[in-house]
Amino acid sequence: MNTLGSKIRSLRKSKKMTLVDLAGDYMTKGMLSLIENDKNNPSMESLEYIAKKLDTSVSALMEDGDEVITNETYIKIKENLKSPSFTREHEFKDILDPIIDQIKHNRKGAFIFQCYAYTKAVHKDQTALDYLNTAKQIYLELNDKNALLDVENDVITIQFILNNYNEAFSSGVELYEKYKDDYEISNPNALPRLLLSVSAYAYSSYDLSNLFKYLKLAEKESINNKTIKLLPSIYKSLCFGYMLDGDIDMYKQTLDKFDYLEPFLHNDFNYKYDIFTTKMIYYFYNKQDEALLELINNQHQHLESDDYTRDTFDSANKNIWTLMKGIALYRKEMYDDAIILLQKYQPDIEFQAPADIAVFAQKYTYLAMNEERLNNIKKAKEFIQIANDKIKQIPPNHFTKITEDTYKRIMN
């Protein structure tokens, strides 16, 4: 029988590649051996990696369902995902609606439903969970534990996006405990990615103890599984945690770890983006405004612009970079330019994590300070009240102090 595993093994041998050659830095030799012996089903991500290494396509490796229709849809969805935004609901809807019933029975269809679920969730649409349940059913029929773990992680993430915060952390921990010793989990990214999600839920509730605990576990899993591409995101998250904790020494030590990854990931956009944002937060917090402005103003040079990164830069006026640049300009007494940016900044979604809310509150804090500078005390009080109301939602941290101090000064 010409199974998926036997196809991979045959192609590998025809190219005179060893298991180690094909596994590369993406997975272990043992994980690949399980896939080739059909003892483990690879995730779609792993399949794409294997297909690329073997100079073939995922379609050539596997045949399932309405393949032509699914492949065409899959390609279109992947094109949409070249942008880092998950808010492309109309593009996804136009692609999927005409053929949605024809892709409900195969692996690529399940992947498409997972992507579509995120476009629904960011609009607080409960049907997001319906699409994930459809994907989950497909993976159950395929008896694919790797994909099941991935989609169950998505379910928890989307519950979090849909404001079911209390359940997200405990469900994530339960999912990790369920799968952490399961030898059938061959996707090397699966557990580290899950642990990153769990740490994000801890971050959202300002639970720094669990934030550090699960990020350290994610780092250990990534190193053991040779999934170094996830390490920059882990180190960035650790840095944010140390910033909230006020531990600048640990922040610097963790920031230095990016240098160890540079020889392996120097051309990887996500690596460059993670180190860029980590440095940006560090400069912002430490009021190193010249360095912050240099970083933001020369973002194309630091990140190397291409079609993918341009999508990120084009949305810069909507994201937190605009806010940080405005505050840096204000601190340099470039008031007019600063206020233009502060007024322009509107987040795409209402932030929930403590540090994000505290930073967002600074928009109104600095607007209040500007009105105070112009002796418009009534307007200053209106702005600082908005800022103060926002930080009441979260525990005090280093980013809330400027709002608290400004509130006391203006209101008194």
Side-chain angles (χ1 to χ4, degrees):
M1 181 178 178
N2 197 20
T3 64
L4 172 62
S6 64
K7 287 181 185 178
I8 293 171
R9 182 169 57 250
S10 177
L11 267 173
R12 174 177 62 78
K13 289 184 175 181
S14 72
K15 294 181 178 296
K16 295 182 170 50
M17 296 174 70
T18 66
L19 282 167
V20 172
D21 292 334
L22 182 54
D25 290 328
Y26 182 84
M27 65 179 70
T28 65
K29 172 184 173 182
M31 289 176 180
L32 180 58
S33 178
L34 289 172
I35 292 171
E36 287 195 356
N37 287 290
D38 296 302
K39 293 181 179 179
N40 248 316
N41 289 313
S43 67
M44 185 58 66
E45 183 180 46
S46 296
L47 269 178
E48 288 181 336
Y49 166 81
I50 291 170
K52 184 176 181 180
K53 288 277 284 189
L54 293 174
D55 295 321
T56 186
S57 66
V58 173
S59 301
L61 291 177
M62 57 185 299
E63 298 177 1
D64 51 7
D66 296 299
E67 187 176 359
V68 173
I69 292 172
T70 306
N71 285 342
E72 290 175 352
T73 308
Y74 178 75
I75 290 168
K76 290 177 183 177
I77 294 293
K78 291 288 284 185
E79 284 298 311
N80 274 273
L81 288 176
K82 284 184 179 179
S83 166
S85 172
F86 278 113
T87 59
R88 295 173 163 245
E89 182 178 18
H90 294 298
E91 289 93 333
F92 277 78
K93 181 177 174 59
D94 291 343
I95 293 169
L96 287 177
D97 277 0
I99 46 81
I100 199 163
D101 288 333
Q102 300 178 62
I103 62 172
K104 286 184 175 179
H105 306 289
N106 56 69
R107 190 184 304 273
K108 285 185 180 177
F111 170 82
I112 291 166
F113 290 131
Q114 285 178 264
C115 295
Y116 194 34
Y118 276 94
T119 71
K120 292 290 187 182
V122 294
H123 296 291
K124 307 301 182 185
D125 187 337
Q126 294 285 339
T127 61
L129 294 173
D130 296 335
Y131 286 102
L132 286 182
N133 285 330
T134 300
K136 186 175 180 179
Q137 188 57 44
I138 293 171
Y139 294 137
L140 281 169
E141 292 172 2
L142 294 170
N143 192 29
D144 187 341
K145 280 193 174 182
N146 289 278
L148 274 174
L149 170 56
D150 191 48
V151 78
E152 286 184 67
N153 188 13
D154 283 348
V155 169
I156 297 170
T157 302
I158 285 180
Q159 284 178 339
F160 178 79
I161 294 172
L162 293 173
N163 301 334
N164 300 327
Y165 306 124
N166 293 333
E167 301 173 17
F169 176 74
S170 58
S171 296
V173 171
E174 288 175 10
L175 193 60
Y176 173 65
E177 293 297 327
K178 175 182 176 181
Y179 284 107
K180 68 177 183 179
D181 296 319
D182 193 328
Y183 75 93
E184 292 185 51
I185 302 300
S186 61
N187 179 0
N189 290 306
L191 287 175
R193 188 179 291 138
L194 171 60
L195 288 164
L196 264 173
S197 298
V198 172
S199 69
Y201 308 144
Y203 173 76
S204 71
S205 59
Y206 204 67
D207 182 354
L208 296 184
S209 175
N210 277 316
L211 169 72
F212 294 131
K213 173 183 175 180
Y214 288 102
L215 284 174
K216 289 292 186 181
L217 282 171
E219 180 184 26
K220 181 179 178 181
E221 290 276 1
S222 293
I223 292 172
N224 288 344
N225 293 348
K226 301 198 298 184
T227 54
I228 61 172
K229 284 192 174 183
L230 285 177
L231 286 173
S233 295
I234 293 168
Y235 294 149
K236 177 174 74 172
S237 299
L238 278 169
C239 282
F240 286 5
Y242 291 129
M243 189 66 70
L244 281 179
D245 204 28
D247 193 338
I248 302 302
D249 288 338
M250 283 304 300
Y251 190 107
K252 289 180 179 178
Q253 288 180 35
T254 307
L255 186 60
D256 288 342
K257 290 185 177 182
F258 281 96
D259 294 337
Y260 300 122
L261 301 176
E262 201 278 337
F264 308 100
L265 300 175
H266 64 278
N267 289 323
D268 183 76
F269 171 76
N270 290 322
Y271 164 77
K272 289 184 283 189
Y273 188 84
D274 283 336
I275 194 170
F276 181 92
T277 52
T278 305
K279 286 182 176 179
M280 183 174 62
I281 293 289
Y282 179 79
Y283 294 149
F284 178 75
Y285 173 75
N286 288 287
K287 297 184 179 180
Q288 296 181 15
D289 295 324
E290 287 288 350
L292 175 61
L293 291 171
E294 190 280 334
L295 195 68
I296 295 176
N297 289 336
N298 295 289
Q299 55 192 255
H300 287 270
Q301 175 185 334
H302 288 283
L303 294 176
E304 296 183 9
S305 177
D306 55 26
D307 289 341
Y308 180 82
T309 57
R310 265 195 295 273
D311 282 337
T312 304
F313 299 143
D314 290 343
S315 65
N317 288 330
K318 298 179 182 178
N319 67 25
I320 204 166
W321 301 4
T322 299
L323 176 61
M324 292 185 177
K325 183 176 180 179
I327 291 173
L329 290 171
Y330 191 94
R331 293 192 299 219
K332 289 174 65 62
E333 300 184 358
M334 300 171 68
Y335 299 121
D336 291 342
D337 290 340
I339 296 305
I340 289 172
L341 289 180
L342 292 174
Q343 291 174 334
K344 189 174 187 179
Y345 172 68
Q346 294 292 337
D348 292 331
I349 59 173
E350 187 70 17
F351 291 123
Q352 299 298 336
D356 295 335
I357 292 176
V359 174
F360 180 40
Q362 291 192 47
K363 166 182 176 172
Y364 296 100
T365 301
Y366 277 87
L367 288 175
M369 291 166 63
N370 189 59
E371 296 297 337
E372 180 188 30
R373 179 181 66 86
L374 298 173
N375 205 31
N376 299 329
I377 302 304
K378 181 180 178 181
K379 193 66 177 176
K381 287 184 176 182
E382 292 176 5
F383 280 130
I384 199 61
Q385 187 63 58
I386 295 172
N388 197 58
D389 288 344
K390 289 188 177 297
I391 65 170
K392 283 181 179 178
Q393 308 170 45
I394 60 176
N397 61 65
H398 300 286
F399 291 106
T400 64
K401 191 174 187 306
I402 187 169
T403 300
E404 294 162 351
D405 291 346
T406 306
Y407 180 83
K408 290 175 185 176
R409 185 181 68 250
I410 291 177
M411 287 306 188
N412 291 332

